[in-house]
């Protein structure tokens, strides 16, 4: 089964609330076998709309990435991100 990537592009507007999101999101991601590959480092925007924060996590499968998103821990995390950030998120299956 191929792995998967969780790719998020984020603009934070409330650092304190977003920090609560990040703590819970990290817990959910690691509980579902996710591993961070990039988390807010330097980026060069070539196309599309830029966000100051970019996150990439690798999961063992697309199903694991989706289960993470649907989990109660991640859904609780989202309550802190809403209104504290503008986000784009996609879950992408890796090549086999």
């Amino acid at each position: 089964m191929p792995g998967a990537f969780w790719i998020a592009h984020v603009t934070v507007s409330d650092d304190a609330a977003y920090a609560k999101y990040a703590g819970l999101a990290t817990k959910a991601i690691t509980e579902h076998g996710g591993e961070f590959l990039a988390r807010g480092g330097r980026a060069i925007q070539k196309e599309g709309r830029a966000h100051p924060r970019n996150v990439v996590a690798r999961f063992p499968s697309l199903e694991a990435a989706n289960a993470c998103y649907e989990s109660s821990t991640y859904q609780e995390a989202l309550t802190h991100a809403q209104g504290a950030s503008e986000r784009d998120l996609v879950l992408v299956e890796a090549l086999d």
Side-chain angles (χ1 to χ4, degrees):
M1 180 180 308
F5 298 99
W6 171 300
I7 304 168
H9 307 289
V10 184
T11 299
V12 176
S13 56
D14 181 338
D15 290 333
Y18 199 78
K20 292 176 185 176
Y21 159 81
L24 287 167
T26 297
K27 180 180 178 195
I29 288 168
T30 57
E31 285 176 348
H32 288 86
E35 171 190 12
F36 288 100
L37 302 179
R39 198 170 190 185
R42 294 180 344 138
I44 299 171
Q45 184 71 29
K46 292 293 192 177
E47 296 183 23
R49 197 171 62 107
H51 287 277
R53 183 170 178 78
N54 298 284
V55 178
V56 179
R58 177 176 38 218
F59 283 84
S61 67
L62 187 59
E63 291 75 19
N66 192 57
C68 176
Y69 187 88
E70 300 294 333
S71 72
S72 60
T73 302
Y74 191 76
Q75 291 302 305
E76 181 183 348
L78 280 178
T79 67
H80 299 289
Q82 295 164 347
S85 62
E86 182 181 329
R87 303 158 26 90
D88 297 313
L89 173 66
V90 63
L91 311 178
V92 181
E93 189 169 62
L95 293 174
D96 194 9

Coordinates of all heavy atoms in Angstrom, one line a residue:
M1 N 0.9 -1.2 0.0 CA 0.0 0.0 0.0 C 0.9 1.2 0.0 O 1.8 1.4 0.8 CB -0.9 0.0 1.2 CG -1.8 1.2 1.3 SD -2.9 1.1 2.8 CE -3.6 -0.5 2.7
P2 N 0.7 2.2 -0.9 CA 1.5 3.4 -1.0 C 1.2 4.3 0.2 O 0.1 4.3 0.8 CB 1.1 4.0 -2.3 CG -0.2 3.5 -2.7 CD -0.3 2.1 -2.0
G3 N 2.2 5.1 0.6 CA 2.1 6.0 1.6 C 1.3 7.2 1.1 O 0.7 7.2 0.0
A4 N 1.3 8.3 1.9 CA 0.5 9.5 1.6 C 1.2 10.7 2.2 O 1.9 10.6 3.2 CB -0.9 9.4 2.0
F5 N 0.8 11.8 1.7 CA 1.3 13.1 2.2 C 0.2 14.0 2.6 O -0.9 14.0 1.9 CB 2.2 13.8 1.1 CG 3.4 13.1 0.8 CD1 3.4 12.3 -0.4 CD2 4.5 13.1 1.6 CE1 4.5 11.6 -0.7 CE2 5.6 12.3 1.3 CZ 5.7 11.6 0.1
W6 N 0.4 14.7 3.6 CA -0.6 15.7 4.2 C 0.1 17.0 3.9 O 1.2 17.3 4.4 CB -0.7 15.5 5.6 CG -1.4 16.4 6.5 CD1 -1.1 17.7 6.8 CD2 -2.5 16.1 7.4 NE1 -2.0 18.2 7.7 CE2 -2.8 17.2 8.1 CE3 -3.3 14.9 7.6 CZ2 -3.9 17.3 9.0 CZ3 -4.3 14.9 8.5 CH2 -4.6 16.1 9.2
I7 N -0.4 17.9 3.0 CA 0.2 19.1 2.6 C -0.7 20.3 2.9 O -1.8 20.4 2.4 CB 0.5 19.1 1.1 CG1 1.4 17.9 0.7 CG2 1.2 20.4 0.7 CD1 1.5 17.6 -0.8
A8 N -0.2 21.2 3.8 CA -1.0 22.3 4.3 C -0.2 23.6 4.0 O 1.0 23.7 4.1 CB -1.3 22.2 5.8
H9 N -1.0 24.6 3.5 CA -0.5 25.9 3.3 C -1.3 26.8 4.2 O -2.5 26.8 4.2 CB -0.6 26.4 1.9 CG 0.0 25.4 0.9 ND1 1.3 25.2 0.8 CD2 -0.6 24.5 0.1 CE1 1.6 24.3 -0.1 NE2 0.4 23.8 -0.6
V10 N -0.6 27.6 5.1 CA -1.3 28.3 6.2 C -0.9 29.7 6.4 O 0.3 30.0 6.3 CB -1.1 27.5 7.6 CG1 -1.9 28.1 8.7 CG2 -1.3 26.0 7.4
T11 N -1.8 30.6 6.6 CA -1.6 31.9 7.1 C -2.2 32.1 8.5 O -3.4 31.9 8.6 CB -2.2 33.0 6.1 OG1 -1.6 32.8 4.8 CG2 -1.9 34.4 6.6
V12 N -1.4 32.3 9.5 CA -1.9 32.4 10.9 C -2.2 33.9 11.2 O -1.4 34.8 10.9 CB -0.8 31.9 11.8 CG1 -1.2 32.1 13.3 CG2 -0.5 30.4 11.5
S13 N -3.4 34.1 11.8 CA -3.8 35.4 12.2 C -3.9 35.6 13.7 O -4.0 36.7 14.3 CB -5.2 35.8 11.6 OG -6.1 34.8 11.9
D14 N -3.9 34.4 14.5 CA -3.9 34.5 15.9 C -3.0 33.4 16.4 O -3.3 32.2 16.5 CB -5.4 34.2 16.4 CG -5.5 34.2 17.9 OD1 -4.5 34.0 18.7 OD2 -6.7 34.3 18.4
D15 N -1.8 33.9 16.8 CA -0.7 32.9 17.2 C -1.0 32.1 18.4 O -0.7 30.9 18.4 CB 0.6 33.7 17.5 CG 1.2 34.3 16.2 OD1 1.0 33.7 15.1 OD2 1.9 35.3 16.3
A16 N -1.7 32.7 19.4 CA -2.0 31.9 20.6 C -3.0 30.8 20.3 O -2.8 29.6 20.8 CB -2.6 32.8 21.7
A17 N -4.1 31.1 19.6 CA -5.1 30.0 19.3 C -4.4 29.0 18.4 O -4.7 27.8 18.5 CB -6.3 30.7 18.6
Y18 N -3.6 29.4 17.4 CA -3.0 28.5 16.5 C -2.0 27.6 17.2 O -1.9 26.4 16.8 CB -2.3 29.2 15.3 CG -2.1 28.3 14.2 CD1 -3.2 27.9 13.3 CD2 -0.9 27.7 13.9 CE1 -3.0 27.0 12.3 CE2 -0.7 26.8 12.9 CZ -1.8 26.5 12.1 OH -1.6 25.6 11.1
A19 N -1.4 28.0 18.2 CA -0.5 27.2 19.0 C -1.2 26.1 19.7 O -0.7 24.9 19.8 CB 0.3 28.0 20.1
K20 N -2.5 26.3 20.1 CA -3.3 25.2 20.7 C -3.6 24.2 19.6 O -3.6 23.0 19.8 CB -4.6 25.8 21.3 CG -4.3 26.7 22.5 CD -5.6 27.3 23.0 CE -5.4 28.2 24.2 NZ -6.6 28.9 24.6
Y21 N -4.0 24.7 18.4 CA -4.2 23.8 17.3 C -3.0 23.0 17.0 O -3.1 21.7 16.9 CB -4.6 24.6 16.0 CG -4.3 23.8 14.8 CD1 -5.3 22.9 14.3 CD2 -3.1 23.9 14.1 CE1 -5.0 22.1 13.2 CE2 -2.9 23.2 12.9 CZ -3.8 22.3 12.5 OH -3.6 21.5 11.4
A22 N -1.8 23.6 16.9 CA -0.6 22.9 16.6 C -0.3 21.8 17.6 O 0.1 20.7 17.2 CB 0.6 23.8 16.4
G23 N -0.5 22.0 18.8 CA -0.2 21.0 19.8 C -1.1 19.8 19.7 O -0.6 18.6 19.7
L24 N -2.4 20.0 19.5 CA -3.3 18.9 19.3 C -3.1 18.2 17.9 O -3.2 17.0 17.8 CB -4.8 19.4 19.4 CG -5.2 19.7 20.9 CD1 -6.5 20.5 20.8 CD2 -5.3 18.5 21.7
A25 N -2.9 19.0 16.9 CA -2.7 18.4 15.6 C -1.5 17.5 15.6 O -1.5 16.4 15.0 CB -2.6 19.5 14.5
T26 N -0.4 18.0 16.2 CA 0.8 17.2 16.3 C 0.5 15.8 16.9 O 1.0 14.8 16.5 CB 1.9 17.9 17.0 OG1 2.2 19.1 16.3 CG2 3.2 17.1 17.2
K27 N -0.2 15.9 18.0 CA -0.6 14.6 18.7 C -1.4 13.7 17.8 O -1.1 12.5 17.7 CB -1.5 15.0 20.0 CG -1.9 13.8 20.7 CD -2.7 14.2 21.9 CE -3.2 12.9 22.7 NZ -4.2 13.1 23.6
A28 N -2.4 14.2 17.1 CA -3.2 13.4 16.2 C -2.4 12.8 15.1 O -2.5 11.7 14.7 CB -4.3 14.3 15.6
I29 N -1.5 13.7 14.5 CA -0.7 13.2 13.4 C 0.3 12.1 13.8 O 0.3 11.0 13.1 CB 0.1 14.4 12.7 CG1 -0.9 15.3 12.0 CG2 1.2 13.9 11.8 CD1 -0.4 16.6 11.6
T30 N 0.9 12.2 14.9 CA 1.9 11.2 15.4 C 1.1 9.9 15.8 O 1.6 8.8 15.5 CB 2.8 11.7 16.5 OG1 2.0 12.1 17.6 CG2 3.7 12.8 16.0
E31 N -0.1 10.1 16.4 CA -0.9 8.9 16.7 C -1.3 8.1 15.5 O -1.7 6.9 15.7 CB -2.1 9.3 17.5 CG -1.8 9.8 19.0 CD -3.1 10.3 19.7 OE1 -4.1 10.5 19.1 OE2 -2.9 10.4 20.9
H32 N -1.4 8.7 14.4 CA -1.8 8.0 13.1 C -0.6 7.7 12.2 O -0.8 7.4 11.0 CB -2.9 8.9 12.4 CG -4.2 8.9 13.1 ND1 -4.5 9.8 14.1 CD2 -5.3 8.1 13.0 CE1 -5.7 9.5 14.6 NE2 -6.2 8.5 13.9
G33 N 0.5 7.7 12.8 CA 1.7 7.2 12.0 C 2.3 8.3 11.2 O 3.2 8.0 10.3
G34 N 1.9 9.5 11.4 CA 2.4 10.6 10.6 C 3.8 11.1 11.1 O 4.1 11.0 12.2
E35 N 4.6 11.6 10.1 CA 5.9 12.1 10.4 C 6.1 13.4 9.6 O 5.9 13.4 8.4 CB 7.0 11.0 9.9 CG 8.4 11.5 10.0 CD 9.3 10.6 9.3 OE1 8.9 9.6 8.6 OE2 10.5 10.8 9.4
F36 N 6.5 14.4 10.3 CA 6.7 15.7 9.7 C 7.9 15.7 8.8 O 9.0 15.3 9.3 CB 6.7 16.9 10.7 CG 5.4 17.1 11.4 CD1 5.1 16.7 12.6 CD2 4.5 17.9 10.7 CE1 3.9 16.9 13.2 CE2 3.2 18.1 11.3 CZ 3.0 17.7 12.5
L37 N 7.8 16.2 7.6 CA 8.9 16.4 6.7 C 9.3 17.8 6.5 O 10.5 18.2 6.3 CB 8.6 15.8 5.3 CG 8.2 14.3 5.3 CD1 7.9 13.8 3.9 CD2 9.3 13.4 5.9
A38 N 8.3 18.7 6.6 CA 8.5 20.2 6.6 C 7.5 20.8 7.5 O 6.3 20.4 7.5 CB 8.4 20.7 5.1
R39 N 7.9 21.8 8.2 CA 7.0 22.5 9.1 C 7.4 23.9 9.3 O 8.1 24.3 10.3 CB 7.1 21.7 10.4 CG 5.9 22.0 11.3 CD 5.9 21.0 12.5 NE 4.6 21.1 13.2 CZ 4.3 20.5 14.3 NH1 5.2 19.7 14.9 NH2 3.2 20.7 14.9
G40 N 7.0 24.8 8.3 CA 7.2 26.2 8.5 C 8.5 26.7 8.1 O 8.9 27.8 8.4
G41 N 9.3 25.9 7.4 CA 10.7 26.3 7.0 C 10.6 27.3 5.8 O 9.5 27.7 5.4
R42 N 11.8 27.7 5.4 CA 11.9 28.6 4.2 C 11.2 28.0 3.0 O 11.2 26.7 2.8 CB 13.3 28.9 3.9 CG 14.0 29.7 5.0 CD 15.4 30.0 4.7 NE 16.1 29.3 3.7 CZ 16.9 29.8 2.7 NH1 17.2 31.1 2.8 NH2 17.4 29.1 1.8
A43 N 10.6 28.8 2.2 CA 10.0 28.3 0.9 C 10.1 29.4 -0.1 O 10.3 30.6 0.1 CB 8.5 28.1 1.2
I44 N 10.1 28.9 -1.4 CA 10.1 29.8 -2.5 C 8.8 29.6 -3.3 O 8.6 28.5 -3.8 CB 11.3 29.6 -3.4 CG1 12.6 29.8 -2.6 CG2 11.3 30.4 -4.7 CD1 13.9 29.4 -3.4
Q45 N 7.9 30.6 -3.3 CA 6.7 30.4 -4.0 C 6.9 30.7 -5.5 O 7.3 31.7 -5.9 CB 5.7 31.4 -3.4 CG 4.3 31.3 -4.0 CD 3.6 30.1 -3.5 OE1 3.8 29.6 -2.4 NE2 2.7 29.6 -4.3
K46 N 6.6 29.7 -6.3 CA 6.8 29.8 -7.7 C 5.4 30.1 -8.5 O 5.4 30.7 -9.5 CB 7.4 28.6 -8.3 CG 8.8 28.4 -7.8 CD 9.7 29.4 -8.4 CE 11.1 29.1 -8.2 NZ 12.0 30.1 -8.8
E47 N 4.3 29.5 -8.0 CA 3.1 29.7 -8.6 C 2.0 29.7 -7.6 O 2.2 29.2 -6.5 CB 2.8 28.6 -9.6 CG 3.7 28.5 -10.8 CD 3.4 27.4 -11.8 OE1 2.2 27.0 -11.8 OE2 4.3 27.0 -12.5
G48 N 0.8 30.3 -7.9 CA -0.3 30.3 -7.0 C -0.1 31.3 -5.9 O 0.8 32.1 -5.9
R49 N -1.0 31.2 -4.9 CA -1.0 32.1 -3.8 C -0.1 31.6 -2.7 O -0.2 30.5 -2.2 CB -2.4 32.3 -3.3 CG -2.7 33.5 -2.5 CD -4.2 33.6 -2.2 NE -4.7 32.4 -1.5 CZ -5.0 32.4 -0.2 NH1 -5.0 33.5 0.4 NH2 -5.4 31.3 0.4
A50 N 0.7 32.5 -2.2 CA 1.7 32.1 -1.1 C 1.0 32.2 0.3 O 0.2 33.0 0.5 CB 2.9 33.1 -1.1
H51 N 1.4 31.3 1.1 CA 1.1 31.3 2.6 C 2.5 31.3 3.3 O 3.4 30.6 2.9 CB 0.3 30.1 3.0 CG -1.1 30.1 2.5 ND1 -2.1 30.8 3.2 CD2 -1.7 29.5 1.4 CE1 -3.3 30.6 2.5 NE2 -3.0 29.9 1.5
P52 N 2.6 32.0 4.4 CA 3.8 32.0 5.1 C 4.3 30.7 5.7 O 5.4 30.5 6.0 CB 3.7 33.1 6.2 CG 2.3 33.7 6.0 CD 1.6 32.9 5.0
R53 N 3.3 29.8 6.0 CA 3.6 28.6 6.7 C 3.2 27.4 5.8 O 2.1 27.3 5.3 CB 2.9 28.5 8.0 CG 3.2 27.3 8.8 CD 2.6 27.5 10.2 NE 2.9 26.3 11.0 CZ 4.0 26.0 11.6 NH1 5.0 26.8 11.5 NH2 4.1 24.9 12.4
N54 N 4.1 26.5 5.6 CA 3.9 25.3 4.8 C 4.2 24.0 5.6 O 5.3 24.0 6.2 CB 4.7 25.3 3.5 CG 4.2 26.5 2.6 OD1 3.2 26.5 2.0 ND2 5.1 27.5 2.6
V55 N 3.4 23.0 5.6 CA 3.6 21.8 6.4 C 3.4 20.6 5.5 O 2.4 20.5 4.7 CB 2.6 21.8 7.6 CG1 2.8 20.5 8.4 CG2 2.8 23.0 8.4
V56 N 4.3 19.7 5.6 CA 4.2 18.4 4.9 C 4.5 17.3 5.9 O 5.5 17.3 6.6 CB 5.3 18.3 3.7 CG1 5.1 16.9 3.0 CG2 5.1 19.4 2.7
A57 N 3.6 16.3 5.9 CA 3.7 15.2 6.8 C 3.5 13.9 5.9 O 2.7 13.9 5.0 CB 2.7 15.2 7.9
R58 N 4.3 12.9 6.2 CA 4.1 11.6 5.5 C 3.4 10.6 6.4 O 3.6 10.6 7.6 CB 5.5 11.1 5.2 CG 5.5 9.7 4.5 CD 6.8 9.2 4.1 NE 7.9 9.5 5.1 CZ 9.1 9.8 4.7 NH1 9.5 9.9 3.5 NH2 10.0 10.1 5.7
F59 N 2.4 9.9 5.8 CA 1.7 8.9 6.5 C 1.9 7.5 5.9 O 2.2 7.5 4.7 CB 0.2 9.2 6.5 CG -0.2 10.3 7.4 CD1 -0.1 11.7 7.1 CD2 -0.8 10.0 8.7 CE1 -0.5 12.7 7.9 CE2 -1.1 11.1 9.6 CZ -1.0 12.4 9.2
P60 N 1.6 6.5 6.6 CA 1.8 5.1 6.0 C 0.8 4.8 4.8 O 1.1 4.0 4.0 CB 1.5 4.2 7.1 CG 1.2 5.0 8.3 CD 1.3 6.4 8.0
S61 N -0.3 5.5 4.8 CA -1.3 5.3 3.8 C -2.3 6.5 3.7 O -2.4 7.3 4.6 CB -2.2 4.1 4.0 OG -3.0 4.3 5.2
L62 N -3.0 6.6 2.6 CA -4.0 7.7 2.5 C -5.1 7.5 3.5 O -5.6 8.5 4.1 CB -4.6 7.7 1.0 CG -5.5 8.8 0.7 CD1 -4.9 10.2 0.9 CD2 -6.0 8.7 -0.7
E63 N -5.4 6.2 3.8 CA -6.4 5.9 4.8 C -6.0 6.4 6.2 O -6.8 6.9 6.9 CB -6.8 4.4 4.8 CG -7.5 3.9 3.5 CD -6.6 3.8 2.3 OE1 -5.3 3.8 2.4 OE2 -7.1 3.8 1.2
A64 N -4.7 6.2 6.5 CA -4.2 6.7 7.8 C -4.3 8.2 7.9 O -4.6 8.8 8.9 CB -2.8 6.2 8.0
A65 N -3.9 8.9 6.8 CA -4.0 10.4 6.8 C -5.4 10.9 6.9 O -5.7 11.8 7.7 CB -3.4 10.9 5.5
N66 N -6.3 10.2 6.3 CA -7.7 10.6 6.4 C -8.3 10.3 7.7 O -9.1 11.1 8.3 CB -8.6 9.9 5.3 CG -9.9 10.5 5.2 OD1 -10.1 11.7 5.0 ND2 -11.0 9.7 5.3
A67 N -7.9 9.1 8.3 CA -8.4 8.8 9.7 C -7.8 9.8 10.7 O -8.6 10.2 11.6 CB -7.9 7.4 10.0
C68 N -6.7 10.3 10.5 CA -6.1 11.4 11.3 C -7.0 12.6 11.2 O -7.4 13.1 12.3 CB -4.7 11.7 10.9 SG -4.0 13.1 11.8
Y69 N -7.3 13.0 10.0 CA -8.1 14.2 9.9 C -9.5 14.0 10.5 O -10.0 14.9 11.1 CB -8.3 14.5 8.4 CG -9.0 15.9 8.2 CD1 -8.3 17.0 8.1 CD2 -10.4 15.9 8.1 CE1 -9.0 18.3 8.0 CE2 -11.1 17.1 7.9 CZ -10.4 18.3 7.9 OH -11.0 19.5 7.7
E70 N -10.1 12.9 10.4 CA -11.4 12.6 10.9 C -11.4 12.3 12.4 O -12.5 12.2 13.0 CB -12.0 11.4 10.2 CG -12.2 11.6 8.7 CD -13.2 12.7 8.3 OE1 -14.1 13.0 9.1 OE2 -13.1 13.4 7.3
S71 N -10.3 12.1 13.0 CA -10.2 11.7 14.4 C -10.7 12.8 15.3 O -10.7 14.0 15.0 CB -8.7 11.4 14.8 OG -7.9 12.6 14.9
S72 N -11.1 12.4 16.5 CA -11.7 13.4 17.5 C -10.6 14.3 17.9 O -10.9 15.5 18.2 CB -12.3 12.6 18.7 OG -11.3 11.8 19.3
T73 N -9.4 13.9 18.0 CA -8.3 14.8 18.5 C -8.0 15.9 17.4 O -7.9 17.0 17.7 CB -7.0 14.0 18.7 OG1 -7.2 13.0 19.7 CG2 -5.8 14.9 19.1
Y74 N -8.0 15.5 16.1 CA -7.8 16.5 15.1 C -9.0 17.4 15.0 O -8.8 18.6 14.7 CB -7.4 15.9 13.8 CG -6.9 16.9 12.8 CD1 -5.6 17.5 13.0 CD2 -7.7 17.5 11.8 CE1 -5.2 18.5 12.2 CE2 -7.3 18.5 11.0 CZ -6.0 19.0 11.2 OH -5.6 20.0 10.4
Q75 N -10.2 16.9 15.1 CA -11.4 17.7 15.0 C -11.4 18.7 16.1 O -11.8 19.9 15.9 CB -12.6 16.9 15.0 CG -12.8 16.1 13.7 CD -12.8 16.9 12.5 OE1 -13.6 17.9 12.4 NE2 -11.9 16.7 11.5
E76 N -10.9 18.3 17.3 CA -10.8 19.3 18.4 C -9.7 20.3 18.1 O -9.9 21.5 18.3 CB -10.4 18.6 19.7 CG -10.3 19.5 20.9 CD -9.8 18.8 22.2 OE1 -9.8 17.6 22.2 OE2 -9.4 19.5 23.1
A77 N -8.6 19.9 17.5 CA -7.6 20.9 17.1 C -8.1 21.9 16.1 O -7.8 23.1 16.2 CB -6.4 20.1 16.4
L78 N -9.0 21.5 15.2 CA -9.5 22.4 14.2 C -10.4 23.5 14.8 O -10.4 24.6 14.3 CB -10.4 21.6 13.2 CG -9.7 20.9 12.1 CD1 -10.6 20.1 11.2 CD2 -8.8 21.9 11.3
T79 N -11.0 23.3 16.0 CA -11.7 24.3 16.6 C -10.9 25.5 17.0 O -11.3 26.6 17.1 CB -12.5 23.8 17.9 OG1 -11.5 23.5 18.9 CG2 -13.4 22.6 17.6
H80 N -9.6 25.3 17.2 CA -8.6 26.3 17.5 C -8.1 27.0 16.3 O -7.7 28.2 16.3 CB -7.5 25.8 18.4 CG -7.9 25.2 19.7 ND1 -8.4 26.0 20.7 CD2 -8.0 23.9 20.1 CE1 -8.7 25.2 21.7 NE2 -8.5 24.0 21.4
A81 N -8.0 26.3 15.2 CA -7.5 26.8 13.9 C -8.6 27.7 13.2 O -8.2 28.7 12.6 CB -7.1 25.7 13.0
Q82 N -9.8 27.4 13.4 CA -10.9 28.2 12.8 C -10.9 29.6 13.4 O -11.0 29.8 14.6 CB -12.2 27.5 12.9 CG -12.3 26.2 12.2 CD -13.4 25.3 12.7 OE1 -14.1 25.5 13.7 NE2 -13.7 24.2 11.9
G83 N -10.9 30.6 12.5 CA -10.8 31.9 13.0 C -9.4 32.4 13.3 O -9.2 33.6 13.6
A84 N -8.5 31.5 13.4 CA -7.1 31.8 13.8 C -6.2 31.7 12.6 O -5.0 32.0 12.7 CB -6.6 31.0 15.0
S85 N -6.7 31.2 11.5 CA -5.8 30.9 10.4 C -6.7 30.7 9.1 O -7.9 30.5 9.2 CB -5.0 29.6 10.6 OG -5.9 28.5 10.7
E86 N -6.0 30.9 8.0 CA -6.6 30.6 6.7 C -5.7 29.5 6.2 O -4.5 29.6 6.1 CB -6.5 31.8 5.7 CG -7.1 31.6 4.4 CD -6.9 32.8 3.5 OE1 -6.9 33.9 4.0 OE2 -6.8 32.6 2.3
R87 N -6.4 28.4 5.8 CA -5.6 27.1 5.4 C -6.1 26.5 4.2 O -7.3 26.5 3.9 CB -5.8 26.1 6.6 CG -5.4 26.7 7.9 CD -6.1 25.9 9.1 NE -6.4 24.6 8.9 CZ -5.7 23.5 9.1 NH1 -4.5 23.6 9.5 NH2 -6.1 22.3 8.8
D88 N -5.2 25.9 3.5 CA -5.5 25.0 2.4 C -4.8 23.6 2.8 O -3.7 23.6 3.2 CB -4.9 25.4 1.1 CG -5.5 26.8 0.6 OD1 -6.7 26.9 0.7 OD2 -4.7 27.7 0.2
L89 N -5.6 22.5 2.7 CA -5.0 21.2 3.0 C -5.4 20.2 2.0 O -6.6 20.2 1.6 CB -5.6 20.8 4.4 CG -5.2 19.4 4.9 CD1 -3.7 19.2 5.1 CD2 -6.0 19.1 6.1
V90 N -4.5 19.4 1.6 CA -4.8 18.3 0.7 C -4.0 17.0 1.2 O -2.9 17.1 1.7 CB -4.4 18.6 -0.8 CG1 -2.9 18.8 -0.9 CG2 -4.8 17.6 -1.7
L91 N -4.7 15.9 1.1 CA -4.1 14.6 1.4 C -3.8 13.9 0.0 O -4.8 13.8 -0.8 CB -5.0 13.7 2.2 CG -5.6 14.4 3.5 CD1 -6.6 13.5 4.2 CD2 -4.6 14.9 4.4
V92 N -2.6 13.5 -0.2 CA -2.2 13.0 -1.5 C -1.5 11.7 -1.4 O -0.6 11.5 -0.6 CB -1.2 14.0 -2.2 CG1 -0.8 13.5 -3.6 CG2 -1.8 15.4 -2.3
E93 N -2.0 10.7 -2.1 CA -1.4 9.4 -2.1 C -0.1 9.4 -2.8 O 0.1 10.0 -3.9 CB -2.3 8.4 -2.8 CG -1.8 6.9 -2.7 CD -2.9 5.9 -3.1 OE1 -3.2 6.0 -4.3 OE2 -3.3 5.2 -2.3
A94 N 1.0 8.8 -2.2 CA 2.3 8.8 -2.8 C 2.4 7.7 -4.0 O 1.5 6.9 -4.1 CB 3.3 8.4 -1.8
L95 N 3.4 7.9 -4.8 CA 3.6 6.8 -5.8 C 3.9 5.5 -5.1 O 4.6 5.5 -4.1 CB 4.7 7.3 -6.7 CG 4.5 8.5 -7.6 CD1 5.7 8.9 -8.3 CD2 3.3 8.2 -8.6
D96 N 3.5 4.4 -5.7 CA 3.8 3.1 -5.1 C 5.2 2.7 -5.4 O 5.8 3.0 -6.3 CB 2.8 2.1 -5.8 CG 2.8 0.8 -5.0 OD1 3.4 0.7 -3.9 OD2 2.2 -0.2 -5.5

